[in-house]
Amino acid sequence: MAKILLYLETTAASGKVQLKRSSLELLSEVQRTGWTKEALLLGSHAEAAAAELSAWGLSALYVAGDASLDLYNPETYAAVFAEALEKSKPQVVLGTSSSTGRDLFPRVAAHFQSGVISDGVACEWTGDTVKIRKPMYSGKCFVTGEFLNAPVKFVLMRPNQLALIAAPGGSAPQIQKLGMQTPLKTVIKELVKGTSEKLDLTEANVIVSGGRGLKEAANFKLLQDLGDVLGATVGASRAVVDAGWVPHNMQVGQTGKTVAPSLYIAVGISGAIQHLAGMSGSKVIVAINSDANAPIFQKATYGVVGDLFQIVPALTEEFRKTLAHH
Ligand SMILES: Cc1cc2nc3c(=O)[nH]c(=O)nc-3n(C[C@H](O)[C@H](O)[C@H](O)COP(=O)(O)OP(=O)(O)OC[C@H]3O[C@@H](n4cnc5c(N)ncnc54)[C@H](O)[C@@H]3O)c2cc1C
């Protein structure tokens, strides 16, 4: 029987270690296959997070619980990952198109003389291989790619694209501990994170994004208020990042982050092709813009033509009232 190895990621949001939603999406997706399923978790929280995995039908869980793996280091991660692969011998390795996945997978794939298909949005499972649908040319078209002569097939899926299901049940996986025998050439001393408690844009289910229509940095407060009421993460266009109003980690688009939330509210954003490249996979797009001819309206599910300085506070107030009753 074909075998798949999942590379899973954890988050420690609000002090509690849990699997990232994108990793739960991978676990959900592979339930569609009859393949043997195994997974890999790295870092000192790995065994704690393992409890969450007991009902996902995994036959083995490889863990490396060394504290030096708590911060991503390409050197150590690639070595431990390769060790897991030598033991697991899967046909396919599946991970998330996160910054870690994109850095790690090509290193490990090169070690196994294979390649990576990244930015996948759908999988088609056949026999002991998989075909991957992915966007090209900034989302202008989609291609379906498959591997030729690859001993192990490495695939990275975009977050928020695969359907999430409840764990189907089953027995807990057998835990296999991995060693840390690599002599290190580099050590990561510290990771300085942004101060936001909100979910990263790539993981967020609701995003409120602002553009140059907001006129100045201080007006992003309007979006923060709306975001707080909706439990949304705030994003931005490149124009306002370049103007220094907000940091680059908030930028959505071709040279920023690719997002696919259930709801994307674009406020004072014109909808340039480079912005659309990063958010057109959103399930519902709401555009608020004073120019009825703004290109964003061609992509929007719902459009509001008007002054954002009137509409956004009114929306925030209405959502606050409505959601208070739920
Ligand atoms: C190589 C390259 C890469 C790029 N990468 C990215 C990228 O990753 N992400 C990205 O976003 N851009 C990117 N850009 C820039 C992109 O081309 C646009 O310049 C940018 O997206 C415009 O940002 P904006 O929509 O905020 O500003 P604008 O285009 O200036 O639009 C502002 C909008 O606000 C509206 N508005 C004004 N006042 C109000 C009001 N009171 N109420 C409501 N609406 C109002 C206007 O009608 C207008 O539509 C890239 C460009 C290049 C060349």
Side-chain angles (χ1 to χ4, degrees):
M1 190 194 293
K3 189 191 274 185
I4 186 159
L5 180 73
L6 300 175
Y7 172 73
L8 302 177
E9 298 182 39
T10 55
T11 168
S14 5
K16 186 169 168 263
V17 179
Q18 54 192 29
L19 289 169
K20 282 191 176 177
R21 184 192 150 98
S22 51
S23 289
L24 294 171
E25 289 167 4
L26 300 181
L27 285 159
S28 302
E29 172 64 24
V30 296
Q31 303 307 316
R32 302 201 298 125
T33 74
W35 298 17
T36 303
K37 301 154 191 89
E38 299 187 341
L40 168 66
L41 264 178
L42 305 180
S44 56
H45 301 303
E47 286 200 46
E52 215 186 322
L53 284 168
S54 58
W56 281 101
L58 298 172
S59 46
L61 175 64
Y62 298 91
V63 295
D66 197 284
S68 66
L69 294 165
D70 286 350
L71 297 179
Y72 176 64
N73 178 337
E75 202 186 341
T76 46
Y77 268 54
V80 182
F81 200 156
E83 190 190 333
L85 278 164
E86 299 285 4
K87 293 198 163 129
S88 167
K89 300 203 182 338
Q91 278 71 41
V92 173
V93 186
L94 197 62
T96 304
S97 265
S98 60
S99 44
T100 303
R102 281 191 225 234
D103 191 73
L104 178 61
F105 269 51
R107 290 172 194 275
V108 186
H111 180 81
F112 286 90
Q113 302 196 331
S114 189
V116 183
I117 296 183
S118 57
D119 281 319
V121 295
C123 308
E124 201 182 303
W125 303 95
T126 45
D128 66 352
T129 190
V130 62
K131 291 182 183 173
I132 303 296
R133 185 173 150 85
K134 60 170 283 177
M136 279 184 79
Y137 306 121
S138 301
K140 287 192 195 71
C141 64
F142 286 84
V143 288
T144 300
E146 67 181 310
F147 293 87
L148 298 175
N149 305 320
V152 196
K153 302 154 185 79
F154 291 83
V155 176
L156 290 168
M157 301 300 292
R158 281 191 177 171
N160 284 335
Q161 296 290 335
L162 304 171
L164 202 56
I165 60 166
S171 49
Q174 190 199 353
I175 296 201
Q176 301 216 15
K177 294 195 179 172
L178 302 170
M180 271 289 302
Q181 69 284 71
T182 337
L184 292 181
K185 298 191 194 73
T186 53
V187 176
I188 309 292
K189 293 273 198 189
E190 192 189 3
L191 176 71
V192 182
K193 285 196 167 182
T195 49
S196 173
E197 281 289 300
K198 291 275 169 61
L199 273 179
D200 184 79
L201 282 170
T202 55
E203 293 268 322
N205 197 34
V206 182
I207 293 175
V208 180
S209 238
R212 195 147 40 193
L214 279 154
K215 311 279 192 260
E216 56 175 298
N219 292 332
F220 258 79
K221 169 87 172 56
L222 291 174
L223 301 195
Q224 299 289 359
D225 291 347
L226 178 57
D228 286 347
V229 173
L230 292 175
T233 302
V234 177
S237 71
R238 175 164 164 175
V240 303
V241 171
D242 286 352
W245 297 0
V246 294
H248 180 259
N249 66 3
M250 287 173 66
Q251 184 181 318
V252 173
Q254 189 181 318
T255 44
K257 290 183 175 164
T258 303
V259 300
S262 298
L263 174 61
Y264 188 90
I265 306 182
V267 180
I269 292 178
S270 58
I273 187 77
Q274 298 88 353
H275 188 81
L276 299 180
M279 46 63 78
S280 53
S282 307
K283 289 175 192 73
V284 173
I285 298 171
V286 176
I288 302 171
N289 199 305
S290 51
D291 175 5
N293 294 317
I296 189 79
F297 286 124
Q298 283 164 28
K299 278 278 166 193
T301 325
Y302 301 101
V304 185
V305 179
D307 182 5
L308 71 90
F309 294 99
Q310 290 174 0
I311 294 158
V312 174
L315 265 184
T316 306
E317 203 38 49
E318 277 308 309
F319 276 126
R320 187 173 284 132
K321 276 193 238 155
T322 310
L323 295 174
H325 297 114
H326 286 80

